[in-house]
């Protein structure tokens, strides 16, 4: 019985299908650095934020218009929202791959910063969405879930596709919900309503004991082909995986739930 908590997902990545590689699209390689203040947060979150800052700077160096650069925030749900929004824009600047070259802690006066340097491949240009490729997501309650509640949802695709479902906590860590060891990936047919879970129960579980509520980000990923996800589950790895899928074969959507005791 899977759990929506730190052991099984409530974060759904829907990969939106964009149709047609854009006019004048090109890929450039740039180096960029990013940093983040190490005060009042965990080292894991600082690393993520410094890396996101480096990605923003890489997009700027590649000439991506400022309004299409992902705005960095401390909230995972906000960063996911920005990522989804810009992935679905017609004018795109996508980081399709990167290598971490260097990371260090540096001091400026009394403040310590975590700094990273990356070499990123950035695809720039115009792409067009296939507006007929979409999926209706229903059944996720807007009120808070209690620890141990069952979790379910339904999907109605308008074109045939596959789905991956993930959950992420507020640090950007998480796990896959679907497919899983008991539920194999299934090709979804257009016009058909699919209820999840398919064969077993999903349960919500609150992991953070010293906070009254916990926010879980849900990511739905839809792709036209069955593309396995094999990396450790984190926001950074999900973004990297999504960017390996051509923009005209994916769409990204997300949601979030609140869990109480």
């Amino acid at each position: 019985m899977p759990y929506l908590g730190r052991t099984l997902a409530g974060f759904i990545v829907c990969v939106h299908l964009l149709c047609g590689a854009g006019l004048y699209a090109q890929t450039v390689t740039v180096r960029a650095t990013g940093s983040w203040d190490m005060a009042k947060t965990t080292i894991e979150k600082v690393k993520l934020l410094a890396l996101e800052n480096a990605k923003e700077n890489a997009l700027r160096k590649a000439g991506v218009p400022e309004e299409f650069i992902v705005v960095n925030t401390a909230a995972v749900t906000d960063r996911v929202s920005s990522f989804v929004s810009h992935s679905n824009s017609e004018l795109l600047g996508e980081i399709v791959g990167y290598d971490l070259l260097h990371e260090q802690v540096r001091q400026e006066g009394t403040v310590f910063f975590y700094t990273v340097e990356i070499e990123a491949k950035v695809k720039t240009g115009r792409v067009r969405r296939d507006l007929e490729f979409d999926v209706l997501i229903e059944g996720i309650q807007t009120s808070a879930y209690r620890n141990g509640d069952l979790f379910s949802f339904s999907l109605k695709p308008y074109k045939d596709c596959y789905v991956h479902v993930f959950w992420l906590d507020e640090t950007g860590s998480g796990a896959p919900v679907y497919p899983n060891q008991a539920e194999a990936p299934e090709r979804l047919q257009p016009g058909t309503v699919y209820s999840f879970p398919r064969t077993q129960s999903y349960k919500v579980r609150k992991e953070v004991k010293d906070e009254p509520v916990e926010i879980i980000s849900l990511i739905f990923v839809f792709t036209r082909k069955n593309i396995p996800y094999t990396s450790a589950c984190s926001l950074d790895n999900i973004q990297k995986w999504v960017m390996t899928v051509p923009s005209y074969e994916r769409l990204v959507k997300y949601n979030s739930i609140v869990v109480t005791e």
Side-chain angles (χ1 to χ4, degrees):
M1 178 179 293
Y3 281 96
L4 262 66
R6 297 197 178 172
T7 56
L8 202 56
F11 184 144
I12 308 172
V13 177
C14 292
V15 177
H16 225 329
L17 184 65
L18 301 181
C19 182
L23 301 174
Y24 314 115
Q26 61 177 337
T27 301
V28 297
T29 301
V30 298
R31 287 193 177 194
T33 60
S35 63
W36 203 264
D37 184 351
M38 298 183 68
K40 298 181 180 179
T41 190
T42 64
I43 186 63
E44 291 80 9
K45 183 175 287 189
V46 166
K47 289 182 179 181
L48 286 173
L49 294 172
L51 187 56
E52 291 300 312
N53 183 230
K55 292 178 184 178
E56 294 172 14
N57 292 332
L59 292 172
R60 291 187 177 94
K61 292 186 72 172
V64 175
E66 191 72 21
E67 62 266 28
F68 293 100
I69 293 175
V70 176
V71 177
N72 208 344
T73 71
V76 168
T77 51
D78 290 342
R79 285 190 280 131
V80 171
S81 176
S82 295
F83 169 66
V84 169
S85 175
H86 294 100
S87 292
N88 297 338
S89 299
E90 280 200 12
L91 286 171
L92 286 183
E94 296 182 344
I95 294 179
V96 295
Y98 70 89
D99 292 316
L100 179 61
L101 303 178
H102 185 65
E103 51 188 324
Q104 67 175 9
V105 176
R106 61 181 177 83
Q107 183 176 3
E108 293 186 9
T110 59
V111 181
F112 290 87
F113 291 89
Y114 196 88
T115 302
V116 299
E117 181 182 11
I118 65 172
E119 184 174 82
K121 292 183 179 179
V122 182
K123 184 176 72 175
T124 63
R126 181 180 294 277
V127 297
R128 299 189 181 185
R129 296 195 310 165
D130 179 358
L131 298 179
E132 295 180 355
F133 179 62
D134 200 2
V135 179
L136 179 63
I137 303 170
E138 293 186 315
I140 300 175
Q141 68 183 48
T142 56
S143 57
Y145 289 84
R146 297 187 65 86
N147 188 30
D149 282 353
L150 296 177
F151 176 78
S152 61
F153 58 89
S154 67
L155 303 174
K156 181 182 179 181
Y158 294 96
K159 284 193 173 182
D160 60 318
C161 58
Y162 291 86
V163 62
H164 280 72
V165 181
F166 307 85
W167 75 265
L168 294 176
D169 63 19
E170 295 179 23
T171 70
S173 299
V177 177
Y178 176 89
N180 55 62
Q181 290 184 347
E183 298 175 315
E186 181 179 354
R187 191 173 189 87
L188 308 183
Q189 301 297 323
T192 302
V193 177
Y194 294 85
S195 298
F196 291 79
R198 303 296 290 160
T199 63
Q200 60 180 340
S201 297
Y202 300 158
K203 276 193 175 183
V204 173
R205 185 165 69 187
K206 185 173 178 293
E207 299 283 352
V208 179
K209 304 303 182 183
D210 55 351
E211 296 290 341
V213 299
E214 183 173 3
I215 298 176
I216 301 295
S217 295
L218 308 173
I219 304 178
F220 295 77
V221 182
F222 294 95
T223 57
R224 295 305 301 269
K225 298 177 181 178
N226 183 21
I227 304 175
Y229 181 85
T230 58
S231 301
C233 191
S234 69
L235 176 57
D236 183 53
N237 285 341
I238 291 170
Q239 289 178 342
K240 290 169 67 175
W241 174 66
V242 166
M243 288 307 177
T244 66
V245 183
S247 57
Y248 51 88
E249 293 186 358
R250 59 174 166 81
L251 168 70
V252 181
K253 290 185 177 181
Y254 85 103
N255 208 316
S256 62
I257 63 173
V258 175
V259 184
T260 64
E261 293 292 351

